[in-house]
Amino acid sequence: MAKFQVPLIKKPHGTGEFYYFCASKPKYKTKTLTVTTGFLKHHPMDKILVIGAAGQLGSELTRALADQFGGDQVIATDLRASASTLFPYCRFEVLDVMDKEALGALVKRERVTQIYHLAAVLSATGEKNPHFAWQLNMESLLHVLELAKEFGLDKIYWPSSIAVFGPSTPKVTTPQFCEKDPNTVYGISKLAGEGWCNYYFEKYGVDVRSLRYPGLIGYKSLPGGGTTDYAVDIYHKAIAKQPFTCFLSEDTYLPMMYMPDAIKATLDLMNVPKEAVKIRSSYNLAGMSFSPKEIFESIKKEVPSFEISYQVDFRQSIADSWPDSIDDSRARADWGWKPSYDLDSMSRDILKHLPTFFPPQS
Ligand SMILES: NC(=O)c1ccc[n+]([C@@H]2O[C@H](COP(=O)([O-])OP(=O)(O)OC[C@H]3O[C@@H](n4cnc5c(N)ncnc54)[C@H](O)[C@@H]3O)[C@@H](O)[C@H]2O)c1
């Protein structure tokens, strides 16, 4: 039985996790082992650059990367200088990803080996300034892919989105390969980006990996202007004991994912050997699917006095063009993906932890 081995160390001493992938029975497994300091020097050269680290995803993914590689090996960057306080555990630098020279100089100076490129204009914000969204989302990806080619970087991570799908896409259990006619500039840029990722892999051997995230729901930071933001905002209102006004109609189903699952999926994909990654555009990824009515009912089980009303806006038509649910069987088969959370377990966890990060205003 062929095995590839990728050791991941979580602590400087003591116990670490040993990840391995079994090629004959595709499944990604972990084993906890006791490790020695000598073993820790296994990957001394990994240097991870996170771009757009201060956002909803980046602020949690950067922490997970520092846990895996060690804080000294991770550099968090973002356009916003004020974000430096978010990263006491690793270095932070202000970086505009559109400044290709500054990005290249940083990669060279720091001997960066992997880039996680998370900076983007999201779906709802993108519709307000489509040309800017296209420019940022596309040019920044091309900068990163070119640098990866030029410097021979080990791996690149770049997230795509369910926004690549459109009105002609099958809505239920949307397949990995199907018609895609995105009708937002965000979706158009993600679909084009997937094509570029595949191109750089095929033409230049750049090891770029990608996931089509559903709407991401976390409690540690605020969302950045997407169509699924309501599913984060609703928990803040529930904790504040205030009624919630939803910008989508009560029966609008969308694919969603709890942040710990999104982080796990990202690390899982990035840690499997190159040969296991069979799709170089972007993998479908599913966690759960629910409507505003269902998330409201799930919260109401914990907060019985909670109330909701609906005031639909322009984001409804974006949501209507996206799938209700996603078929992620390729991710499951190729690298062993499996989500851990459903709607109720996510609601319980968020309501328990959110007040620590965002104490309700009195
Ligand atoms: N959040 C979701 O639900 C979701 C779903 C699907 C895909 N994604 C993708 O995941 C990635 C991260 O999303 P997010 O929700 O964390 O977004 P976000 O808007 O919360 O964060 C983006 C970060 O990028 C930074 N940024 C913007 N312009 C920059 C520039 N020119 N240079 C450097 N940094 C810049 C912003 O300051 C921000 O901190 C994006 O590519 C997004 O398309 C997110």
Side-chain angles (χ1 to χ4, degrees), residues 97 117 135-146 156 158 189-190 192-194 196-197 208:
V97 67
H117 172 28
Q135 198 184 4
L136 176 67
N137 294 3
M138 286 307 16
E139 279 185 29
S140 64
L141 175 61
L142 287 171
H143 288 169
V144 169
L145 291 172
E146 267 300 298
I156 302 296
W158 173 81
S189 72
K190 288 294 185 189
E194 289 188 7
W196 278 116
C197 289
V208 52

Side-chain angles (χ1 to χ4, degrees), residues 46-64:
D46 281 326
K47 198 71 179 275
I48 316 299
L49 175 64
V50 186
I51 299 169
Q56 191 198 3
L57 173 65
S59 51
E60 300 205 36
L61 184 58
T62 308
R63 174 80 250 187

Side-chain angles (χ1 to χ4, degrees), residues 216-360:
L216 300 180
I217 306 170
Y219 58 81
K220 292 184 183 168
S221 57
L222 296 170
T227 304
T228 54
D229 286 5
Y230 89 86
V232 178
D233 297 337
I234 193 169
Y235 289 102
H236 287 260
K237 289 291 185 197
I239 290 290
K241 302 269 186 275
Q242 289 172 5
F244 178 66
T245 306
C246 187
F247 59 73
L248 298 182
S249 66
E250 64 173 9
D251 53 357
T252 308
Y253 277 85
L254 283 170
M256 301 279 192
M257 179 169 284
Y258 192 27
M259 192 62 85
D261 272 338
I263 302 295
K264 180 168 142 349
T266 308
L267 297 184
D268 282 1
L269 175 68
M270 290 303 280
N271 286 325
V272 288
K274 205 173 171 178
E275 306 76 49
V277 185
K278 309 270 194 244
I279 292 174
R280 292 296 180 159
S281 50
S282 191
Y283 275 97
N284 271 11
L285 189 73
M288 57 188 97
S289 280
F290 57 76
S291 63
K293 185 167 180 242
E294 287 175 352
I295 190 173
F296 166 68
E297 281 163 1
S298 170
I299 294 172
K300 217 170 152 57
K301 286 179 198 166
E302 311 296 321
V303 186
S305 61
F306 192 41
E307 286 173 26
I308 192 167
S309 60
Y310 299 89
Q311 211 172 311
V312 166
D313 70 16
F314 74 100
R315 288 167 280 194
Q316 183 68 47
S317 63
I318 300 178
D320 287 344
S321 73
W322 289 355
D324 291 0
S325 58
I326 299 286
D327 171 13
D328 63 356
S329 51
R330 286 301 303 268
R332 288 171 187 257
D334 289 358
W335 43 274
W337 162 243
K338 192 165 174 254
S340 301
Y341 286 88
D342 63 13
L343 176 55
D344 282 343
S345 56
M346 175 179 78
S347 287
R348 281 193 300 276
D349 206 55
I350 294 181
L351 291 169
K352 184 172 161 199
H353 293 107
L354 191 143
T356 317
F357 286 80
F358 294 94

